[in-house]
Amino acid sequence: MSHETTDENIIIEIKGVNKWYGKFHVLKDINLNVRKGEKVVVCGPSGSGKSTLIRAINYLETHEEGDIIVDGVKLVDDVKRIQKIQRDVGMVFQQFNLFPHLTVKTNVMLAPIWVKKSAKAKAEKRAMDLLDRVGIADQADKFPGQLSGGQQQRVAIARALAMDPKIMLFDEPTSALDPEMIKEVLDVMRELADQGMTMVCVTHEMGFAKEVADTMVFMDAGNIVEYSTAKEFFEHPKEERTRQFLEQILNH
Amino acid sequence: MHPSDTHTPGETRLPPNADTGPLAWVTENLLSPWYNAILTVLACLILYGLLHPLYVWGIKNASFGTVCPSGHDGACWAFIRDMWPIFMVGTYPHEERWRIVIVLGVVILLALSLIFKKVRQWKPIWVLWALTPAVIFFLIRGGSITGLTQVSTSHWGGLMLTVMFAAVGMLFAFPISLCLALGRASDIPVIRAICVAYIELIRGVPLITLLFMASVVLPLFFPPEMEIDKLLRAQIGITLFFSAYLAENIRGGLQALPKGQEEAARALGMGYWQRMLLIVLPQALRIVIPPMVNSFIGILKDTSLVGIVGLVDLLQVVFAATANPKWLGHIEEAYVFVAIFYWFMCYGLSRYSQHLEKRYAVDNK
C-alpha cells in the first residue's frame, strides 16, 4: 500500500495485524494507513472482518500480532494508554448503545464530566450545542427509549463528538435503521466529513461512500482485497471479487 | 346495537365496548360450558370445607376479650393480647420499652421518607439515612455515651430481633455482594477464583450449619478472653449467607445487560469504576430488584433458624409463651399469629418491590 503523504500526516497506522477468534483467522496481515482528515469507507460481505478491524482501532478488540498506532500512541495492553486512545477516538455503533437509564442530554454530558473533568455547566452547554447540531436539541430531556432509531443514532454521534475526538469510527451506523431514517443520519455524517473530521466508516451505503470517501477499502475473508480512491473503486475496480460485490450491492 | 357499529371505513374510532359487567363475566368465564360450571362448584365446595372451620374457630367461636371463658372451643385471642409486648421485644426490660417505641417511630419516619419523592430528593436526607442505623442501635442498646441504661443483647428478642437480623443482614450483605458479583465477572483470575469459591462454599451450606459454625466454631479462632457477642455471631452468619445469594442475583443482572453498554462506555474512555458505577450497576441493579427482594423475603423467614443457637426471635418467643402456665396449650393461636405476622411482612415487601420496579422501569431497547 503506497502513500504519497509524509509520516506526520498519518494518524492511524496498522501494520501486519493478525487476529483470531479461537482458531478462526479473522484478520490476516492487515496493513492500512489513515491520514489526518481522510475519509475511509470499509466495505465487504458480512464476516469479512471489517467490523473487527475498526473495533481493533480503539481496542474494543485485541489483536494477537502486529501493531496499531493511533496518533503516535501504540496500542499495547496498558490501561492508561488504551484509555487515552479511547478518549481521542469516537465510536458510533450499529445498535446505538445509548445509556437507557440516562436522559439524552446526560448521555452526551456524562463522559466529558467524568473522563475529561469538564465543569458541569460547560459540559451541559456543549451537549446542547451538539444536540442542536444533530437536530434534536428539543428532545434533550427525553430518555433514549422514547426516540426513534434515527434520532438515537444522532444522539450517539453527538455523544461521541462531545469528547472532541480526533478520529471518528462508524460501525455500520445505518444498518439497524428503518429506510426512511437512514438519510437523517447520513446527513449528519456528511456534515461532519465536510468539517474535516478523520473518519473510518464501515457501511453498505454506497451512495454515501461515493460522495464522501477519499479512500475505499474492500475486505473479504479477513484480507484487504482492494484499496483505492473512491473514483477508481467505483469506476474501475481492479479485483474480480470487488466487481462481484459491487454488482450485487448496487443492483439489488 | 352499539353506535360505533355504523361507521365509515378508515375513520378513527373508539374500541368496541367490551365491558359487560361482573355478572356477564362470571357467566362467561366460570359457568360455561357446563364442565366449567361443575369445576366452579367443586372449587367452591373445597374452599368452603377448608376455610369454614378456620372461620368458626378463629372468629365465630373465638373470644376476643382479655380472659378466656372456660370450656369454649374457639380461639382465645386474649393470649396474643396479653403477650403482645413480649412478642414484640422479648425480655427487653419493661421500664425501658419506651426506647423501642421511639425506635419504631424512627423506623416509621424512615419509611415515610422513602415513600415521599420530595423528601427523597432533598440531598441532606442521605446524611440522616446514613445515621439512622447507628441511632437505632444506640437507642436499643443504651450504655456508653447515650446515658441510657445498657440492655444486654441477651434481652433482645421477639419481632425486634427478627427484623433486626434481616435489616442489618441486608445493610451489610449488599455491599459485600456487589464486590462478589463484580469480582466474579472480573478479568483477573485470582479475584474471580476467590469470589467463586466464596459464593459456592456459602451457597452449598444450609444456613443452619452456618449459624452453628458462627456460634460454636468462630469463637475458637479468637483468644478465649475475647468473647464475641452471641447475637453478633448469628448476625455474621446471616450476613455471609445472604451476601452469597445476593451476589448471584446481581451477577444475573450483570449478565442480562447488553454487552454494547459497557463497550460504549469504554469507547468514551471511561475507566473500570466509572463504567461500573455510572453505566453497568445502575442498570443491572434495576433488573434484579425482583430477585433481590425475593432473596430478602427468604432471609427474613430464614432468620427464624436463629432459635437453634438459643436466640429468641419472633417464632421462638411466641413458642416459648405457650409454655407459660397461664396460657398453656394455646399453640394453635401462637402458630396462626406467627404465620399471619410473617405473611404481612413478606406481602408488604413484595408490594414494595413491585412499586420499586415501576419507579425504576427503564425502556431497555
Side-chain angles (χ1 to χ4, degrees), chain B residues 4-259:
Chain B
S4 70
D5 284 353
T6 54
H7 66 275
T8 42
E11 86 181 305
T12 307
R13 59 198 174 99
L14 292 169
N17 198 349
D19 184 17
T20 43
L23 202 68
W25 186 89
V26 168
T27 328
E28 191 179 322
N29 292 290
L30 301 181
L31 300 177
S32 73
W34 59 270
Y35 51 82
N36 269 352
I38 294 175
L39 285 175
T40 304
V41 171
L42 264 176
C44 285
L45 281 175
I46 292 172
L47 272 179
Y48 178 81
L50 286 173
L51 294 179
H52 187 251
L54 196 63
Y55 163 75
V56 170
W57 173 79
I59 297 170
K60 194 170 164 235
N61 291 347
S63 98
F64 292 92
T66 46
V67 283
C68 286
S70 54
H72 90 126
D73 54 355
C76 173
W77 296 117
F79 165 53
I80 306 295
R81 211 182 232 210
D82 188 42
M83 287 292 172
W84 180 265
I86 309 278
F87 292 168
M88 293 300 108
V89 296
T91 56
Y92 202 84
H94 195 269
E95 62 282 0
E96 301 291 338
R97 276 185 201 153
W98 59 271
R99 278 151 59 175
I100 307 300
V101 177
I102 295 180
V103 167
L104 186 65
V106 172
V107 171
I108 290 172
L109 278 180
L110 181 74
L112 286 176
S113 75
L114 286 169
I115 291 171
F116 292 108
K117 203 176 173 186
K118 279 261 163 57
V119 187
R120 265 199 331 261
Q121 285 168 344
W122 183 57
K123 284 278 156 63
I125 196 77
W126 286 94
V127 182
L128 293 181
W129 281 343
L131 287 176
T132 330
V135 169
I136 290 176
F137 175 75
F138 279 110
L139 264 173
I140 296 178
R141 196 190 69 141
S144 61
I145 50 160
T146 57
L148 298 164
T149 327
Q150 181 157 345
V151 179
S152 145
T153 55
S154 58
H155 290 292
W156 301 16
L159 176 70
M160 179 180 89
L161 193 65
T162 297
V163 172
M164 204 192 71
F165 274 138
V168 175
M170 181 78 181
L171 205 65
F172 286 95
F174 184 65
I176 297 174
S177 64
L178 269 184
C179 297
L180 286 171
L182 289 178
R184 191 163 187 172
S186 159
D187 293 333
I188 307 163
V190 181
I191 293 181
R192 201 167 53 228
I194 292 172
C195 294
V196 171
Y198 176 92
I199 292 169
E200 295 302 341
L201 189 73
I202 301 277
R203 259 200 330 173
V205 171
L207 177 59
I208 213 161
T209 319
L210 265 182
L211 287 173
F212 266 128
M213 292 273 289
S215 67
V216 181
V217 183
L218 198 63
L220 302 180
F221 291 106
F222 294 96
E225 65 274 10
M226 196 180 131
E227 202 184 322
I228 307 166
D229 195 279
K230 194 158 121 190
L231 203 126
L232 180 63
R233 276 179 274 158
Q235 182 72 70
I236 291 173
I238 288 171
T239 309
L240 294 182
F241 184 75
F242 193 22
S243 63
Y245 277 85
L246 272 188
E248 285 299 277
N249 290 157
I250 295 172
R251 186 169 72 104
L254 294 177
Q255 284 177 346
L257 209 62
K259 236 181 143 116

Side-chain angles (χ1 to χ4, degrees), chain B residues 259-270:
Chain B
K259 236 181 143 116
Q261 287 294 310
E262 214 202 326
E263 277 180 358
R266 270 167 65 195
L268 289 165
M270 290 186 179

Side-chain angles (χ1 to χ4, degrees), chain A residues 71-119:
Chain A
D71 198 25
V73 181
K74 193 166 141 187
L75 273 177
V76 286
D77 201 357
D78 169 60
V79 179
K80 283 273 165 315
R81 280 198 190 191
I82 292 165
Q83 280 175 16
K84 168 157 187 348
I85 288 170
Q86 287 173 337
R87 273 200 294 278
D88 289 343
V89 180
M91 176 129 188
V92 174
F93 299 86
Q94 182 177 356
Q95 298 296 340
F96 331 135
N97 295 351
L98 291 178
F99 306 131
H101 61 304
L102 303 171
T103 61
V104 163
K105 190 167 70 183
T106 320
N107 262 279
V108 182
M109 287 160 58
L110 195 71
I113 289 175
W114 289 92
V115 180
K116 277 174 50 180
K117 315 290 179 203
S118 298

